[in-house]
Amino acid sequence: LAGASLASSHSSAMPEQKDCGAYLFCCFSSDPDEKDPRKDNAATWEVSMCNSFCSDPCCCLGGAICCCCTACYMRHKVLKAYGQWPQGYSCCQSYFGCCCISNETIGGGCCGILPSESAATACCCLCLETWCCAQPAIQATRFYVMDKKQLAPDPCDNRIIAFSNCLQCLACICEIIACIVSIAGGPSEIQDIARIIRLIADLVLLMVMGCMTAQTNVEINAGTEIKVGGGGGIPVGVPVGGRGSPPPPLEMAR
């Protein structure tokens, strides 16, 4: 999980980040992951995920209830804001690979049609991506904005994401136990408990996806410049994390 609260050695270089007071998640650490390439970024989010619903309730609800359509809309909006549509589009913006495909090739090389100057081609691929992999699509758009604006992860966001990841792991463990119990002829109540935990975990994940979507929308509506400590913005043309070799994603690796 990517962290955002920097160690004391970095406190002078980073702007102050205030925790949103999500006491439900206080048992989860907000400290940065040492491998997080974004932990030393200088800029902060306009709003944290904890406050994103109040800042953009419609987008937050859309990201949770109709996540596929909202993910498609947000990627298109972000890429257009940076003048990268359609030529800058790639599958999950090349942030997520798998066991046989690296991050660098997942976006274009594996299928051979991306990047493309054709808006129709990019639109078809984007629709396919968001409908098949809505959560990675939302995460990729968020990573893209973070890299372009040099945003550091918010400490409250880290706790919320850690809570969601914990529930997903718990749901998987319970499903494995229920499967074993079912094979052994045990009580069916175990399967019911596993289904309930899975339902809760997925509902929390949908809420997290909605908060991510609203947070990204608020951020891109505030402009594309890099804003550090409330000062002037750095022009978009500054090379700050291109699409070709993105940092490895550390959040919600589901």
Side-chain angles (χ1 to χ4, degrees), residues 144-160:
Y144 186 84
V145 173
M146 290 180 74
D147 290 337
K148 285 294 186 182
K149 300 189 71 172
Q150 291 188 339
L151 298 170
D154 185 88
C156 183
D157 296 356
N158 299 331
R159 288 176 169 173
I160 294 174

Side-chain angles (χ1 to χ4, degrees), residues 1-5 29-39 139 142-143 146 152-159 161-162 165 248-252:
L1 177 67
S5 296
S29 174
S30 62
D31 293 335
D33 191 300
E34 290 301 323
K35 297 180 180 179
D36 182 10
R38 304 177 183 89
K39 65 184 178 68
Q139 190 82 349
R142 185 170 182 265
F143 283 147
M146 290 180 74
D154 185 88
C156 183
D157 296 356
N158 299 331
R159 288 176 169 173
I161 293 170
N165 288 344
L250 297 175
E251 303 178 26
M252 296 186 68

Side-chain angles (χ1 to χ4, degrees), residues 21-153:
Y23 302 111
L24 175 64
F25 316 113
C26 62
C27 57
F28 296 95
S29 174
S30 62
D31 293 335
D33 191 300
E34 290 301 323
K35 297 180 180 179
D36 182 10
R38 304 177 183 89
K39 65 184 178 68
D40 292 325
N41 285 353
T44 56
W45 289 94
E46 292 287 332
V47 294
S48 67
M49 286 171 54
C50 190
N51 298 321
S52 60
F53 176 80
C54 295
S55 299
D56 196 345
C58 293
C59 191
C60 187
L61 290 174
I65 298 173
C66 192
C67 53
C68 299
C69 296
T70 312
C72 186
Y73 166 77
M74 279 306 304
R75 180 73 61 77
H76 179 263
K77 178 178 180 177
V78 167
L79 290 176
K80 283 198 70 175
Y82 283 100
Q84 293 295 313
W85 177 264
Q87 73 279 1
Y89 167 76
S90 63
C91 182
C92 291
Q93 294 307 118
S94 302
Y95 282 105
F96 298 99
C98 63
C99 58
C100 60
I101 303 175
S102 67
N103 287 0
E104 289 75 18
T105 59
I106 183 66
C110 62
C111 59
I113 62 173
L114 295 174
S116 174
E117 296 292 335
S118 170
T121 300
C123 187
C124 289
C125 293
L126 176 58
C127 289
L128 185 63
E129 173 197 336
T130 53
W131 280 95
C132 294
C133 310
Q135 190 274 320
I138 292 173
Q139 190 82 349
T141 303
R142 185 170 182 265
F143 283 147
Y144 186 84
V145 173
M146 290 180 74
D147 290 337
K148 285 294 186 182
K149 300 189 71 172
Q150 291 188 339
L151 298 170

